[in-house]
Amino acid sequence: MTNTPANASTCLLLTATIKVKEDMVFTTRKDTNTRLNDYKQALTLWLAHPDIKSLVLVENSGSDISELREIANQTPEKNVEFLSFKVPEFDGEMICLQYAIEHSQLLARSPQFVKVTGRYFLRNATDFLHFADSRRDAAIICDMLLNLTWADSRVFAGTTDFLRNYLFPLKEEVNDSQGSNFEHVLARAVHACMANCGAWAEPPFPLEVQGVSGSQDRGWQVSLKDKFKLRIRHNLFARFLGTAPR
C-alpha cells in the first residue's frame, strides 16, 4: 500500500485510445482525427475545472499526443502527467488502467482517483468530485445497473488498491465477443471487494456525461425528464441499500 498524506487531492485519470483498429468490435467512432478532437475538447474542460489539481492521461495506441500536451501547457498551475504506450494485441480500459497504476508518479502519490473515459466530461463533475472526497472510506464508487451485474465504467472513483487487488486479477475475463465486457468485470470486482469487507458507494445522483459514445457514435442525451427519472431511481436504490439520508 502506498503511503500518502491524508489531505492529498484526488487525481483525475483519463483513459484514451486515439487510433482504434479497423477490426475493433463494438466501436463505431473510429476516425483518428475525430477521436483526437474529442480528447482535446474534454481535456480542455477538465483542466478548466477548479477542483482538478492533478490529472493523468494515459493513451494506449502509441499515437502522437503533442496537441494534448500543448493544451496542458496552457495551465502550468495544474499537475498534469501524460503516459503513452502501444498495446500489441488489443485495446481496452483494463490495460490502460494497469499501465497507469504501474507508471504514474501522480497516482502513486494520490490516495484516491477519479477515472473518466478521456473523450468525456461530466456536467455535474463538481458534485461527483465532492461526493468522492466525502467517501474516502469507499474502495470503489460507481453506478451499478442490471441487478448489480453491470458497472458504469465511463466515470468511477476508487483507490489504487481496489484496482490491484480486485479488478486487475479479473483481466482475463474481459471478452467483448463473448458478452463479458469491461463493465461486467468491473461489477464482479466490486462484489469481490464487498465480499472481503470493502466498501462500495453508489453516487446519490445520475451521472451527466457529456461527449459522444465511441460504440454508437452519438452524443449522450439526458433530458430533464430523464434526469428526474434517474434521480428517482437513485433515491429508491439508495433507500434499498440503506444509504439514503434520513
Side-chain angles (χ1 to χ4, degrees):
M1 182 178 296
T2 303
N3 292 322
T4 54
N7 62 349
S9 63
T10 296
C11 184
L12 176 66
L13 173 58
L14 302 178
T15 56
T17 304
I18 295 175
K19 184 176 181 179
V20 298
K21 300 176 181 178
E22 287 301 319
D23 59 350
M24 185 71 176
V25 296
F26 307 121
T27 301
T28 303
R29 199 172 181 83
K30 293 182 178 181
D31 181 74
T32 299
N33 289 330
T34 299
R35 293 179 66 88
L36 177 58
N37 285 330
D38 290 341
Y39 291 118
K40 290 165 62 177
Q41 291 174 19
L43 179 61
T44 300
L45 291 171
W46 283 116
L47 289 173
H49 196 286
D51 290 330
I52 298 300
K53 310 298 183 185
S54 299
L55 184 153
V56 176
L57 187 145
V58 54
E59 202 281 331
N60 71 351
S61 68
S63 297
D64 181 7
I65 58 173
S66 58
E67 292 184 51
L68 298 175
R69 292 182 184 275
E70 290 175 6
I71 292 173
N73 288 338
Q74 297 173 20
T75 54
E77 70 277 10
K78 307 276 185 172
N79 295 316
V80 183
E81 183 180 17
F82 289 95
L83 301 173
S84 180
F85 69 108
K86 188 172 183 179
V87 181
E89 298 178 0
F90 62 93
D91 302 321
E93 291 281 272
M94 187 77 79
I95 197 69
C96 258
L97 293 173
Q98 195 164 15
Y99 190 91
I101 294 303
E102 292 173 354
H103 295 86
S104 171
Q105 296 181 16
L106 288 178
L107 284 171
R109 298 197 299 266
S110 178
Q112 186 186 49
F113 68 88
V114 170
K115 178 269 172 189
V116 181
T117 301
R119 292 181 300 103
Y120 301 152
F121 181 71
L122 194 62
R123 290 190 182 94
N124 53 346
T126 299
D127 291 338
F128 186 81
L129 290 167
H130 290 182
F131 177 71
D133 188 61
S134 72
R135 289 302 312 269
R136 289 185 177 242
D137 62 300
I140 177 67
I141 301 170
C142 64
D143 198 0
M144 299 266 278
L145 301 169
L146 302 177
N147 293 322
L148 305 181
T149 64
W150 189 94
D152 192 341
S153 69
R154 298 173 302 170
V155 180
F156 64 89
T159 65
T160 54
D161 283 343
F162 168 81
L163 298 179
R164 291 190 185 96
N165 298 332
Y166 299 104
L167 184 61
F168 295 160
L170 303 181
K171 174 181 175 180
E172 300 302 321
E173 295 187 18
V174 178
N175 191 323
D176 290 345
S177 62
Q178 295 184 7
S180 179
N181 57 35
F182 180 76
E183 288 79 8
H184 292 114
V185 175
L186 177 58
R188 292 172 206 156
V190 174
H191 288 295
C193 178
M194 289 191 291
N196 199 30
C197 300
W200 158 61
E202 169 86 2
F205 43 77
L207 303 178
E208 298 179 25
V209 175
Q210 173 181 323
V212 179
S213 167
S215 59
Q216 300 175 353
D217 200 17
R218 62 176 177 82
W220 302 103
Q221 299 295 330
V222 182
S223 66
L224 290 176
K225 181 179 179 181
D226 291 334
K227 290 180 184 180
F228 181 71
K229 289 165 60 178
L230 285 169
R231 190 167 290 277
I232 290 177
R233 183 186 73 81
H234 276 72
N235 290 340
L236 290 174
F237 193 41
R239 290 187 180 278
F240 172 73
L241 294 173
T243 59
R246 298 182 181 276

